[in-house]
Amino acid sequence: MIMNRNLEIFIKVAECGSITRVAKMLYITQPAVSNAISKLETELNIKLFFRDKRNGLLLTHVGQKIYLLAKQMEDLDNRIAQTAYRENHFMEGRLRIAALTSLVSTILSKALKDYRKAFPGVTVEIREGSPNDIFRMVEEHTVDFAVSCSPFGKFDSITLRRDRMAAMLPEEAPDILEVDLTAPPALLIINKPAYETILDHVKQPFPVEQFLQVQTAETAINMVLDGNGIGILSEYTMDTLVAGHRKYPVKPEIAFDIGIFARDLEDLTPAALEFVHLITQRLTAAPTASENSRT
C-alpha cells in the first residue's frame, strides 16, 4: 500500500548485503534488483550503498538512515493492512517476534501452535538473539514486539513471571550448597543470552579458565549431562527443558523478570495483540514445575 517495490527491494538488499541473494529470494533477475536500487538512488539523489570486498554491499551513512525510515514505513504498511483485514472479520498480514533462543522453545513454541490454528492467514517470523540483539531489533522497528528478560530499559513492558539463575550439576558431581559465580568449583557452562543477563547483575568478570560460553540453553544442558561442567541457566528454562533436575542456588543471587516489551504495547498491530494476549493467558494459567513443588 504505502511501500513501493523499489523500497521493498532496497530493504532486502540492506539486510542481505547481496544483489545476487535478493534476486534469488524474490525470484527476479539481478539486473532488476540493481535497477530498483539505481532508481531509488536517482529519485532521492543520494548514494545508498558502497561495495566492500569482504562484506559485500554496505549501507552508506545516509543509507542507514533511509533504511530505518523504510522499516518504519514497512511496519506502518503492515498495520494498515491488518486493520483493514480485521474490519472484515479475519486476520492476515505479518507478525514479527524477537525472542531469546531459550524462550522460543519454552514460551513461543506452544503458543505458536494455537495461534496458527486461530489465525492461519498471518505469517509469523521469529527472530532469535541475545538480549542486546533483541533490544536493537525493537529499536530499529525490525520486530513488532520481543520476549526476553529484564531489564527492559525505556521500552513498554509486561512481566510474565519472575525468574532467577540457578546451577545445574552433572550427576557425578559432589553435592554442594551453592555455586559462587566469581570463584566456581568447576567449569561454568553458560549460554550467550544467560551470560548477558548475568553481566547486567554481576560486574566482576568470570575467571577465563573456568568459563565456557555456548550459544543455546539446550547445548549447555547437554554438556552438563555429559559431565563437562556446571550449567548456569534460568530456573524457568530448567523447569521446561529438564523438569525434575535438581537446581542449586548461585551466589550472588540473580533475579529478573521474563516479559514482553515493545516501543508501545498499546499500539501493536492486531496480529501482535492477539499473540501477546495468547502468551499472557498461557503463562498466567500454567505454573512452572518449581511453583508446583512449593505448593
Side-chain angles (χ1 to χ4, degrees):
M1 296 179 65
I2 297 174
M3 296 287 291
N4 63 45
R5 184 61 169 170
N6 293 342
L7 268 178
E8 291 176 352
I9 292 174
F10 163 68
I11 289 174
K12 295 296 184 185
V13 174
E15 293 175 343
C16 294
S18 167
I19 288 176
T20 302
R21 287 173 59 190
V22 172
K24 291 180 179 179
M25 183 188 305
L26 300 179
Y27 300 101
I28 58 178
T29 64
Q30 292 184 39
V33 176
S34 299
N35 188 46
I37 298 301
S38 178
K39 285 184 177 179
L40 189 58
E41 289 181 329
T42 300
E43 181 182 353
L44 299 176
N45 194 30
I46 57 174
K47 192 70 174 176
L48 294 170
F49 295 96
F50 67 90
R51 186 173 296 279
D52 181 87
K53 290 183 178 180
R54 288 188 175 183
N55 301 309
L57 290 177
L58 298 178
L59 287 167
T60 62
H61 180 68
V62 69
Q64 179 65 29
K65 293 181 178 180
I66 298 297
Y67 168 73
L68 294 177
L69 291 171
K71 291 297 290 184
Q72 293 180 45
M73 291 178 64
E74 184 182 48
D75 179 61
L76 183 58
D77 193 71
N78 186 38
R79 289 169 181 269
I80 291 173
Q82 288 190 34
T83 301
Y85 287 137
R86 186 67 180 272
E87 184 64 22
N88 290 308
H89 310 294
F90 64 96
M91 186 89 71
E92 287 191 2
R94 182 174 57 155
L95 171 60
R96 305 159 303 168
I97 307 170
L100 293 179
T101 301
S102 60
L103 297 182
V104 173
S105 57
T106 57
I107 290 181
L108 293 186
S109 181
K110 294 178 182 178
L112 180 61
K113 180 179 179 181
D114 293 339
Y115 184 84
R116 288 178 59 81
K117 184 176 180 181
F119 306 108
V122 177
T123 301
V124 180
E125 299 177 9
I126 297 177
R127 305 183 182 187
E128 302 176 34
S130 68
N132 291 337
D133 295 332
I134 291 168
F135 260 63
R136 186 171 61 254
M137 292 180 204
V138 175
E139 182 69 38
E140 295 179 355
H141 297 270
T142 304
V143 295
D144 296 297
F145 67 88
V147 182
S148 188
C149 58
S150 62
F152 302 119
K154 63 184 178 181
F155 297 118
D156 194 11
S157 63
I158 299 173
T159 297
L160 297 174
R161 63 174 59 248
R162 191 68 172 164
D163 199 1
R164 63 180 179 178
M165 287 296 173
M168 175 182 173
L169 271 60
E171 291 184 2
E172 67 274 14
D175 198 18
I176 58 177
L177 295 178
E178 63 183 9
V179 173
D180 187 343
L181 296 179
T182 61
L187 178 70
L188 296 181
I189 303 172
I190 311 175
N191 65 301
K192 185 178 179 182
Y195 181 62
E196 289 189 7
T197 300
I198 291 170
L199 289 183
D200 285 331
H201 296 80
V202 180
K203 303 307 178 183
Q204 295 174 261
F206 294 106
V208 176
E209 68 280 3
Q210 291 291 86
F211 163 63
L212 175 63
Q213 184 178 154
V214 297
Q215 286 298 313
T216 68
E218 288 85 351
T219 299
I221 288 170
N222 288 332
M223 293 190 71
V224 173
L225 294 176
D226 287 339
N228 288 291
I230 298 173
I232 306 298
L233 306 123
S234 80
E235 286 194 342
Y236 180 66
T237 298
M238 291 182 63
D239 287 340
T240 307
L241 300 181
V242 279
H245 200 288
R246 183 175 176 181
K247 299 182 289 289
Y248 293 82
V250 299
K251 176 185 178 181
E253 182 180 32
I254 301 172
F256 53 92
D257 293 326
I258 295 174
I260 297 170
F261 68 91
R263 283 175 166 266
D264 186 352
L265 288 171
E266 295 184 358
D267 192 36
L268 294 176
T269 66
L273 282 172
E274 291 290 348
F275 204 108
V276 168
H277 179 65
L278 182 60
I279 294 176
T280 305
Q281 276 190 323
R282 292 185 68 93
L283 265 290
T284 54
T288 65
S290 60
E291 288 172 337
N292 283 327
S293 66
R294 293 194 294 267
T295 59

